[in-house]
Amino acid sequence: MSNLEKTLFQLKFTAKSLNRQAKKAQKDENSEKSRLKKALQQGNTDGARIYASNAIRKKSEALNLLRLSSRIDAVASRVETAVTMRQGMDNAMQTMNLERLMRQTAEEANIELQHDLSSKDLDSVPDLAPREKVREEDDKLAERLRALRPAT
């Protein structure tokens, strides 16, 4: 499992956790509202103010948690797209045969190839998918995501 896939899992897990916390905050808000109603019915205005401020705080907390969860989910979606694209590109690069591809393209364009690629030295042809560069980019992206993630 690559760093990006680990990061993707962590992002999805965090988003789910934040959603659970938001639901709990909403439940606490409703609890504070019922306490508020009860305090108002009993004529306890000081207690009612406390319960009202608690309910407002819990509602704000729930909204902030949902907002953060949504943002993390959006990042997770982008990372998931990057992971799928990378896997697709890796598969394509593994199955791609440069000589066969050139012959097929030449046949489609009705061009006759005058060079035999198998007899030539292909060391001068640059690598189409430098894996080290891709891994470095993955590591940098994972590091940036870790820096953005709140410390728990």
Side-chain angles (χ1 to χ4, degrees), residues 97-120:
N97 181 345
L98 185 59
E99 184 176 349
R100 189 184 75 198
L101 181 65
M102 286 183 63
R103 283 190 181 144
Q104 183 180 0
T105 308
E107 286 174 11
E108 289 173 2
N110 293 326
I111 300 173
E112 186 177 323
L113 284 179
Q114 297 177 356
H115 301 289
D116 185 13
L117 290 178
S118 59
S119 66
K120 297 286 183 184

Side-chain angles (χ1 to χ4, degrees), residues 16-78:
K16 214 172 201 181
S17 174
L18 287 171
N19 275 330
R20 275 191 233 111
Q21 289 176 8
K23 284 181 183 178
K24 184 182 182 315
Q26 288 172 343
K27 184 179 175 185
D28 291 347
E29 175 198 354
N30 291 335
S31 164
E32 291 294 328
K33 282 182 180 179
S34 66
R35 288 181 185 162
L36 168 65
K37 288 177 185 177
K38 191 174 182 180
L40 285 174
Q41 289 172 350
Q42 294 175 349
N44 181 3
T45 56
D46 290 336
R49 283 191 179 131
I50 292 170
Y51 293 136
S53 67
N54 287 347
I56 291 169
R57 184 173 35 82
K58 286 295 181 178
K59 182 172 184 76
S60 174
E61 179 182 341
L63 289 174
N64 287 337
L65 287 168
L66 284 173
R67 193 174 297 126
L68 184 57
S69 172
S70 173
R71 288 179 183 164
I72 289 177
D73 196 34
V75 171
S77 176
R78 289 186 188 122

